[in-house]
Structures are given as C-alpha cells and as structure tokens.
Amino acid sequence: MSKISAPRSNREFIEACVKAGDAVRIKQEVDWENEAGAIVRRACELGAAAPFMEKIKDYPGFSYFGAPLSTYRRMAISLGMDPASSLPEIGKEYLKRTNSEPIAPVVVDRKDAPCKENILLGKDVDLCRLPVPLVHDGDGGRYVGTWHAVVTKHPVRGDVNWGMYRQMMFDSRTMSGAVFPFSDLGKTLSDYYLPRGESCPFATAIGLSPLAAMAACAPSPIPEPELVGMLSGEPARLVKCETNDLEVPADAEIIIEGEICPDYKVEEGPFGEYTGYRTSPRDFRVTFRVNCITYRNNATMTISNMGVPQDEGQLLRSFSLGLELEKLLRSQGIPVTGVYMHPRSTHHMMIVGVKPTYSGIAQQIAQLAFGSKLGPWFHMVMVVDDQTDIYNWDEVYHAFCTRCHPENGIHIYRNTTGTPLYPFATPHERKYSIGSKVLFDCLWPVDWDKTNDVPTLVSFKHVYPKDIQERVLANWTAYGYPQAK
Amino acid sequence: MNQWEVFVMDMAELAEGKDLELSIRTLNPGVHKYTYKHVKCQVSSNPEKLPDRLQVRMGRGQLSPARFSIKVIEEIQRMPAKYA
Ligand SMILES: Cc1cc2nc3c(=O)[nH]c(=O)nc-3n(C[C@H](O)[C@H](O)[C@H](O)COP(=O)(O)O)c2cc1C
C-alpha cells in the first residue's frame, strides 16, 4: 500500500481542517447547555466549517469539536486525501483500503498514552466533570457519547467491538444508551452477559482520530482496531484500561471505563436523531455504570449533532452502508455498477446500479441487502440500470418515476427487522423494532423485446449521433449561450 | 427551593394527592444540571403549593405550559448495591 498520511488523532485532524479552511476556531465562551449544540447544528445545515470551540462555560481547560465529518471535504481530509476529492474518488479509496490486508493494532505503554494524563477513580468519578453537552433543547439528557466508540469484547470468542452507540448521562456515574439488539454489542449482551446475569466491561472513547470514529460507525465485518489500521495504513495505538482488560485508543481525548449492568436499567431519550426527528420513545435501555474516567490535558470532546441533513449520521453512514453493500453484492457475483445512498435520504434509500443481465436481479439485490447485517438501517432499495448515474438524483428520480411499474416493480417485505428510530413506523413497530421494506425495481423487464418494447431514452446524450453532439457542444457559445458547466 | 423536570407520556401520570415514583432531573444551575434522581414524591398542579418547582416535558421533549410543584419525600435507590 502506498504511504498514507491521514491524521492520527483528533488533534491532528482539527489542525488539518483549520489549515484547509474546514474548521473555525471559536475563541469566545460557549455554553454547554444548548449553545454549543446550536452552533454545530447550524454548521451542519449550512455545510459550513466544523466549529472548534476553545472555551466552554463552567469547564476551563476543555474544548469541543463539532460536526467532525459532516462534509465530504472533511471526510477526504480524514483519509489524508485532497479535500477537493470527489465522492466517487473517496469511495474508491475507501474500498481499496478496506479490501487490503488487515493491520493489527499495537499496545503501547501507559506512559506513552496521552489519554492517561488525568485519571479519576473512586469518589472522584463524576461525569459532570466533563463538559457533557445538552445537544438539543428538549433532549432527555446531556449526551456523553455522540461521536465516540464503545469498546467491548466477547468473552468467549474474544472479538473486540468498537461501536458508536449514543450514551446519555443519567447521573454522575450512570449512562444509558441505545444499543439495538441486532448490533454487535446487542448480540454479545444477549448471547453471553444477559443470560448469565454478568456485567459486561466497557470503555467509551471520545475524541478519536477521525478514522477510528469512521471505523466505529462502519457496518464492516472487520474488527474495528484492524479496520482503523487498514484505513490509516499503520497500526492503531492502543493502551490497556485502568479498571478492566479492554484496550482503548491511546490518543483518544477522553476514556470512560465501567460495566454494563445486566440487571438494572434507567431511562434513555428522547434524542434528536439522524432521521431529522426525535422519534424513538424514551425507554429503559442498556445501562452503563462508570468506574473510572481518564482524559488528556486540555481534552476536546467531540460532538455530532443529529437532525435534518446534513450531519455525519447521514453523510458517513450513507457512505459506508452503500460501500459495504457494494462489497457484499460483488462478493455474490452480481454485476453492480455502483451503490449509493444520497445523504439527504437520511440513509433510508439504497440506490443500486446494475447490468440487468437476468430476470429477478433486482429482487436478488433487495433480498441480500435487506437480509444482511446492514438491513435494519434502511427500508428502501431502488435498482436502476447501468446507464443511470446513481450519484445524479435527477437521473435516478426520472428512472424511478418512469420505469418502476406500480404493480410489478414495487415489492414489499413485511415483518423485517427495524429500529425504533423510523419516523413512519407505528408506535408498536418502534417499541419492538419491527420493520417493513420496499424494493423499487426500475429495470426494464428482461422478457421485453429490446428493440420494440423497451422505450428509447430521449436525451441529448442518447438520441443524437456523436458527431452532432460534438458539433453542438463545440458551437454552444457561438450559438449565443453562456458556457454550460 | 429546587427546580425539577420530569418526562411523561400523559399528564395523568402526575396524579395529585398520592405518593408517586418518578425519575426527575435537576434544573438547578451548575455542572450537575440535568442529572436524574429516582424519587418518591408528591406533586400538585398548583405551582406554589409544594416546596419545589416542577416543569413537565412530553414524550418527544415538548415542554408543557403547565407548571407544577413537587415535594421530594425520599430518593429511591433502584440500582443493585453491587454497583454503588
Ligand atoms: C453519530 C452516530 C450515532 C449512532 N448512534 C447509534 C446508536 O445509538 N445505536 C446504534 O445501535 N447504532 C448507532 N449508530 C450506528 C452504529 O454506529 C453502526 O451501526 C455501527 O456499525 C455499529 O454497529 P454494529 O455494532 O452493528 O457493528 C450511530 C452512528 C452514528 C454515525
């Protein structure tokens, strides 16, 4: 692999973003109660630079970094690419790196781990010593984990999992979080810890390198510490926790260690979500008891503020869900030309381009997509042919409105896995994570006669001979038009 | 006087004249603002009647215009002692 020079920590990332004009340093004091959240939200809605808030009310010495990956420019910077890289270029690079050889992490001595600069144990443990923000007015609590990784390990299989599962501060030593039963951690809990009534050690790492955060929310089957190595081209640096055997990113800004209680639950939510609504009901959810907090000097807390497009919940998840589905479909030999989720679909619609070489190919794609580990996170699959540019919503929308047969092209799948976050779901469906899905098959049927039955696309690109197209393009300004983009 | 907030799905959860068990969060200024306690308490729709103030949010975070007062009788520890 060629040398990658991606930011190795949140600090290096902030620096790279400031240098590229993709982060602003905010020197004036910002309130942790709503104000910081409102700044991040507005930055997301404007597609503006990420706010680096250097002075926080009540919390001298701490800072916030908001909306870390809510633009493709910052995603390119996080990968060590030119910020102006196009989305297909970024996608290609992600696929190249995540298809490479896994790179194992290294464990460093605690003296080389900046996250150990301050250690709170025993009576000193108090989450309120961290600048935990009230992200949206009306949220059920202040959220400790909005852009982070919850580190756990399966005690028998030994699989390490870093997952981004939101965590609300309930009191000074307790957090509750939305760990869905179909997630890796949800499965470890129901497979091992809950039936035995044993508590599950965890560590929450906040202020990660951007690629560690990307790995924590990527739906990849590769263990996250290896995935970070593959994405960054070098081993992730880990360090052992103070109070359990887990290993955490040594350069993280803040580490919260503790145990997940199998026999005790407190309320979580409501919370502003990636769908652009506060949907999932307040409920008794997975409960985390905190035993130790460690943090760097001048620690920076990272904040993702989910709401209407576009934030990293939509941008990054659309990106990685799409690319992981592309890998899955290719592994099954399906002739896909690409897979893309437009972030403003709030990663609800998977658009798949395919060479329609056999009957039922759209159904095969939908069944694989919905039946995979990725499936609970979206409920629409739209399959278009290889002539349609999946990144161009105008083309996709045209194909959908003209080629999807209302009776034969729409297929509904009932009683699938859902999440409590779907705004359209009934209250009962939300409570029990019951889903339903739909396929929009926008392919011309294979049994139509290609010459006489399949309509011809009437567009400049498709109906005119090449020489005429070239002549018209060459003369465009001579006809009196401004140069088209 | 303390200020508290509670989330309910239905105002009927705030029945008056009897002991209730609620998770309430403090709105007192300071770094512990918005942390919860689980308490035995009484509430009143008369905002002046009981010693502390209580405001109410509905299931999706909407602030109710109704103002209540609350008397916290005792904190209830639901958490098993082993996690203390
Ligand atoms: C900002 C953000 C917040 C997220 N919050 C949650 C959450 O609260 N619960 C959850 O199950 N997944 C959440 N996700 C999605 C997971 O991070 C994602 O599914 C990841 O792959 C971990 O899932 P896994 O355990 O199935 O691998 C979030 C993603 C992002 C980007």
Side-chain angles (χ1 to χ4, degrees):
Chain A
M1 182 189 286
S2 60
K3 187 87 189 90
I4 295 166
S5 65
R8 278 162 302 179
S9 66
N10 188 52
R11 294 186 184 203
E12 285 187 16
F13 181 49
I14 294 173
E15 236 171 76
C17 288
V18 170
K19 204 163 140 217
D22 287 275
V24 287
R25 287 178 181 278
I26 299 179
K27 302 266 179 212
Q28 77 188 66
E29 184 177 89
V30 168
D31 199 332
W32 54 264
E33 182 181 1
N34 280 322
E35 189 185 3
I39 293 171
V40 181
R41 182 94 291 278
R42 186 155 158 79
C44 286
E45 290 178 20
L46 295 175
F52 178 37
M53 297 168 255
E54 297 186 289
K55 199 169 170 202
I56 303 166
K57 184 174 166 231
D58 298 330
Y59 292 97
F62 284 95
S63 55
Y64 286 141
F65 187 53
L69 284 183
S70 64
T71 64
Y72 289 121
R73 283 182 60 87
R74 291 202 279 284
M75 205 188 286
I77 295 170
S78 77
L79 288 157
M81 298 173 70
D82 178 348
S85 305
S86 69
L87 176 59
E89 283 166 343
I90 301 172
K92 210 165 134 210
E93 188 62 26
Y94 177 93
L95 284 177
K96 188 175 106 193
R97 293 190 197 175
T98 57
N99 279 322
S100 64
E101 281 300 304
I103 299 180
V106 292
V107 179
V108 303
D109 198 277
R110 60 203 296 287
K111 71 174 185 341
D112 298 318
C115 68
K116 305 284 189 188
E117 282 167 353
N118 302 275
I119 298 179
L120 304 178
L121 282 161
K123 277 204 275 303
D124 291 332
V125 175
D126 181 351
L127 290 167
C128 296
R129 291 178 71 159
L130 303 173
V132 180
L134 182 72
V135 178
H136 319 91
D137 193 38
D139 280 350
R142 293 162 66 181
Y143 273 75
V144 183
T146 62
W147 188 246
H148 62 300
V150 180
V151 178
T152 51
K153 191 170 172 176
H154 193 290
V156 177
R157 294 200 303 268
D159 308 342
V160 171
N161 180 47
W162 297 3
M164 196 176 282
Y165 314 108
R166 74 191 195 202
Q167 287 173 310
M168 186 189 96
M169 174 166 72
F170 186 81
D171 63 30
S172 291
R173 275 194 57 198
T174 315
M175 303 185 288
S176 48
V179 180
F180 298 121
F182 53 79
S183 68
D184 288 350
L185 176 53
K187 286 177 189 155
T188 295
L189 292 175
S190 57
D191 172 46
Y192 187 90
Y193 289 103
L194 298 182
R196 287 171 176 77
E198 280 178 32
S199 61
C200 168
F202 81 92
T204 295
I206 302 168
L208 300 159
S209 75
L211 294 181
M214 195 186 279
C217 63
S220 165
I222 303 164
E224 287 79 7
E226 275 82 8
L227 185 60
V228 180
M230 294 157 84
L231 285 168
S232 57
E234 59 184 14
R237 279 166 29 90
L238 306 182
V239 66
K240 205 178 120 358
C241 281
E242 297 299 299
T243 57
N244 59 41
D245 286 332
L246 297 169
E247 286 153 3
V248 287
D251 299 293
E253 297 285 329
I254 298 167
I255 304 291
I256 299 167
E257 302 177 13
E259 53 196 317
I260 298 173
C261 311
D263 45 3
Y264 173 55
K265 280 189 174 179
V266 296
E267 298 94 325
E268 192 263 349
F271 187 54
E273 291 160 350
Y274 69 85
T275 59
Y277 304 89
R278 241 186 317 240
T279 301
S280 63
R282 184 175 171 80
D283 206 347
F284 288 88
R285 298 213 166 91
V286 171
T287 295
F288 302 80
R289 189 71 178 157
V290 178
N291 297 324
C292 175
I293 298 173
T294 78
Y295 58 96
R296 293 181 75 153
N297 294 332
N298 300 312
T300 302
M301 193 157 209
T302 34
I303 307 177
S304 172
N305 181 326
M306 296 201 276
V308 297
Q310 142 168 331
D311 53 63
E312 34 286 292
Q314 296 131 6
L315 189 108
L316 190 54
R317 295 274 294 151
S318 299
F319 175 80
S320 54
L321 283 164
L323 293 175
E324 290 298 332
L325 181 61
E326 183 169 338
K327 280 197 219 171
L328 172 69
L329 297 176
R330 285 192 194 284
S331 77
Q332 303 294 304
I334 297 176
V336 289
T337 48
V339 180
Y340 181 55
M341 295 184 121
H342 288 258
R344 62 186 183 281
S345 80
T346 70
H347 67 69
H348 282 163
M349 183 188 280
M350 201 56 101
I351 298 168
V352 181
V354 70
K355 269 191 200 319
T357 47
Y358 51 88
S359 286
I361 200 164
Q363 289 246 36
Q364 190 186 20
I365 289 169
Q367 283 162 354
L368 280 164
F370 294 142
S372 73
K373 183 178 187 305
L374 319 171
W377 293 106
F378 53 90
H379 63 286
M380 293 186 265
V381 167
M382 186 177 285
V383 181
V384 296
D385 68 15
D386 52 327
Q387 301 303 306
T388 308
D389 178 0
I390 57 171
Y391 296 105
N392 181 335
W393 176 245
D394 288 346
E395 280 191 31
V396 171
Y397 190 51
H398 178 251
F400 168 54
C401 294
T402 55
R403 302 186 203 180
C404 183
H405 191 287
E407 267 189 83
N408 306 335
I410 300 178
H411 303 266
I412 292 170
Y413 304 82
R414 293 173 213 281
N415 284 314
T416 61
T417 309
T419 79
L421 278 61
Y422 280 115
F424 61 83
T426 66
H428 177 80
E429 288 171 329
R430 287 184 208 154
K431 185 157 178 60
Y432 294 98
S433 287
I434 300 169
S436 50
K437 316 272 188 198
V438 59
L439 160 66
F440 300 111
D441 180 349
C442 309
L443 302 174
W444 300 122
V446 169
D447 52 1
W448 283 12
D449 184 291
K450 298 240 172 344
T451 321
N452 298 310
D453 296 339
V454 173
T456 306
L457 188 67
V458 182
S459 77
F460 178 79
K461 238 174 21 189
H462 286 87
V463 285
Y464 298 100
K466 225 168 172 51
D467 60 321
I468 295 286
Q469 287 189 40
E470 280 164 10
R471 191 190 316 161
V472 169
L473 289 177
N475 284 305
W476 196 244
T477 49
Y479 299 144
Y481 286 103
Q483 192 60 262
K485 274 184 236 140
Chain B
M1 185 181 58
N2 296 303
Q3 308 209 28
W4 301 99
E5 193 167 55
V6 68
F7 280 80
V8 295
M9 296 297 278
D10 186 334
M11 283 299 198
E13 291 169 40
L14 300 175
E16 297 186 47
K18 61 177 193 179
D19 289 359
L20 304 176
E21 257 195 45
L22 297 175
S23 287
I24 55 174
R25 63 182 188 181
T26 174
L27 295 185
N28 292 349
V31 295
H32 287 92
K33 189 169 180 184
Y34 298 113
T35 55
Y36 284 87
K37 280 187 190 331
H38 194 72
V39 297
K40 184 156 99 177
C41 59
Q42 291 210 344
V43 300
S44 165
S45 58
N46 174 349
E48 309 293 334
K49 186 169 168 200
L50 300 172
D52 290 350
R53 300 290 156 263
L54 178 71
Q55 66 180 38
V56 182
R57 285 190 187 267
M58 306 307 292
R60 298 299 179 277
Q62 312 91 318
L63 184 62
S64 159
R67 290 290 176 271
F68 284 70
S69 57
I70 180 169
K71 179 178 176 198
V72 176
I73 300 166
E74 62 180 348
E75 196 174 336
I76 299 172
Q77 200 46 268
R78 284 182 303 178
M79 188 181 65
K82 63 185 171 182
Y83 301 118

